Amino acid sequence: MAITTASASPGPAMQEAAKTPSTSPPRATAASPARYRPSPLVIFSACLVLIGSSGPLLLRVYFVHGGQRLWLSALVQISGWPLLLPPLCVSIFRGRRHGIVNLLLPPRLVGAAVVLGSLYAVSCFVYAMGSQALPLSTSSLLLATQLAFTAVFAFLFVGLRFTPFSANAVLLLTIGPAVLGVGPGSGKPAGEPSKTYWTGFCEAIAAAALAGLVLPLVEVAMERFGRRRGPAASAPPPYSTVMQMQAMMGLAGTMVCLLGMAIKGDFKALPIEAAAFGLGETKYYLVLMWGAVAWQLLNLGVVGLVTCASSLLAGIMVAVLLPLSEVLAVIFLHEKFDGPKGIALVLCLWGFASYMYGERVQQKKAAAQKNQLLQQQMARKTGDLELANP
């Protein structure tokens, strides 16, 4: 906020003093406190994650109405990366004056994206295996542990420092979806062998651990190989880099899923499964196509949050999607919305609000420390001028 002052007309003494150069040192002015404003790219990425929340819903439609191909379900979550090619080509063409080679991913970052994309494809397949043997509420409970794994791996690999607000957010966002596990049907289904149930339980935990590992590793790869040099090193990479990273991860994951489908004979089984699909053959392919589009938006938003903010924020947004997907299932699949689902939704929204409030407090604290440092520097300059002009 700018502050203006009005003064009366100067007298002769003041006019005379104005003719002589002033040697009085400048006074340190206190800067106005900065407000926490998330980066537009962070807001854009978060919106992509929310829009992509229909991806898990469409994948659930696939399983509910007779879909059984696990590698195909993993492919749907990864194969939407060609949608990034048109905006990526436009972005590179507009920045061609800087040199197209300088806009492309470094070779080491390409190698990291291939490895991480393959690892993410495996996590999608392992979770699909576990979800077949577990009730919906139990699978949500186990998927909620992904945030805890993300926080632990971010602490180990990225050097994440927990604040009371971020720790509270991780706790609430882990407990919130876990409340779904105490609802009806959270236990072992009747007639299902215990071995099958506990095998699916371990597979879902392993999938959550793999997914929780991928996010911090993406942050590490972007920090080491994707940052620019010079004055722009402190700024996050441009969004074209984010799209390239996601496209390379999607390409690598797609190759892994296609290989798995070829080994399992899914290509021959697709026409048979489409003909027996509960909603009809045409809607079978529409569910798969729009599911791939929604999952691509979600994946791009997650990678954008990792790159422009942190892997912890990306994990928090993924955790927020769990109760939101339950609400969408109630609206579109006519599932029952009971007390545990309402409690899970409230706790997750509370945890997300706690994290955002903590970020605002941290930004204000950093701005206050910066202003204090500037005042000390100005005071030091004032003292030097006073010594130079006794």
Side-chain angles (χ1 to χ4, degrees):
M1 179 182 298
I3 301 176
T4 59
T5 57
S7 60
S9 59
M14 295 182 63
Q15 293 177 354
E16 184 66 24
K19 296 179 181 179
T20 60
S22 174
T23 59
S24 60
R27 291 181 297 176
T29 58
S32 59
R35 292 183 178 180
Y36 172 59
R37 292 186 177 92
S39 167
L41 294 181
V42 173
I43 298 176
F44 177 70
S45 299
C47 291
L48 288 180
V49 173
L50 294 177
I51 295 173
S53 61
S54 58
L57 177 68
L58 292 173
L59 192 61
R60 188 180 303 174
V61 171
Y62 167 76
F63 282 114
V64 166
H65 292 281
Q68 298 178 351
R69 317 312 299 183
L70 298 179
W71 278 114
L72 177 62
S73 66
L75 181 68
V76 169
Q77 302 176 54
I78 299 175
S79 61
W81 60 269
L83 297 174
L84 299 177
L85 296 181
L88 186 56
C89 292
V90 172
S91 177
I92 294 178
F93 178 78
R94 293 180 61 183
R96 66 188 184 279
R97 63 182 181 276
H98 301 294
I100 295 180
V101 177
N102 297 327
L103 299 176
L104 300 179
L105 294 183
R108 291 188 295 177
L109 188 56
V110 171
V114 170
V115 174
L116 294 174
S118 303
L119 185 62
Y120 182 67
V122 173
S123 71
C124 293
F125 174 76
V126 173
Y127 181 74
M129 292 175 59
S131 62
Q132 281 194 334
L134 298 174
L136 173 62
S137 54
T138 303
S139 62
S140 298
L141 160 66
L142 299 179
L143 184 59
T145 61
Q146 175 184 340
L147 177 58
F149 283 113
T150 300
V152 171
F153 289 129
F155 175 78
L156 294 177
F157 299 123
V158 188
L160 172 68
R161 294 183 179 180
F162 286 98
T163 65
F165 297 101
S166 61
N168 182 56
V170 171
L171 181 62
L172 291 174
L173 286 165
T174 303
I175 294 178
V179 173
L180 298 174
V182 303
S186 60
K188 183 174 72 66
E192 181 178 289
S194 297
K195 182 179 179 180
T196 302
Y197 176 81
W198 288 110
T199 300
F201 190 95
C202 295
E203 288 168 347
I205 286 289
L210 286 174
L213 175 63
V214 168
L215 295 183
L217 290 183
V218 170
E219 185 174 1
V220 171
M222 294 296 290
E223 285 287 343
R224 292 187 177 181
F225 310 132
R227 297 288 180 178
R228 292 167 290 180
R229 298 181 179 180
S234 59
Y239 219 76
S240 61
T241 303
V242 177
M243 290 189 289
Q244 291 181 69
M245 185 70 177
Q246 173 56 36
M248 290 304 304
M249 291 179 61
L251 175 60
T254 299
M255 299 304 295
V256 172
C257 293
L258 290 177
L259 179 61
M261 290 179 65
I263 295 175
K264 288 292 185 179
D266 288 353
F267 294 104
K268 296 181 180 180
L270 281 181
I272 301 175
E273 187 177 77
F277 192 63
L279 298 178
E281 185 175 359
T282 302
K283 291 185 178 180
Y284 174 82
Y285 293 107
L286 288 177
V287 166
L288 296 180
M289 181 186 69
W290 287 111
V293 172
W295 274 102
Q296 179 53 49
L297 295 176
L298 192 152
N299 292 333
L300 179 61
V302 168
V303 175
L305 289 175
V306 172
T307 304
C308 302
S310 67
S311 57
L312 180 62
L313 178 58
I316 285 175
M317 287 299 302
V318 172
V320 169
L321 287 184
L322 294 177
L324 291 181
S325 65
E326 293 292 335
V327 174
L328 293 177
V330 170
I331 296 174
F332 296 102
L333 298 182
H334 306 291
E335 294 186 359
K336 183 180 179 181
F337 190 85
D338 50 14
K341 292 180 181 179
I343 295 174
L345 178 61
V346 172
L347 289 177
C348 284
L349 294 178
W350 182 11
F352 181 72
S354 175
Y355 176 82
M356 297 305 297
Y357 179 76
E359 286 295 303
R360 181 180 181 183
V361 171
Q362 290 296 112
Q363 290 289 334
K364 285 186 175 182
K365 184 178 179 181
Q369 292 177 351
K370 183 178 180 180
N371 292 337
Q372 184 179 5
L373 180 61
L374 290 175
Q375 291 177 2
Q376 292 176 354
Q377 293 176 352
M378 294 296 293
R380 191 177 299 110
K381 291 180 181 180
T382 300
D384 294 341
L385 289 176
E386 288 179 349
L387 291 176
N389 300 279

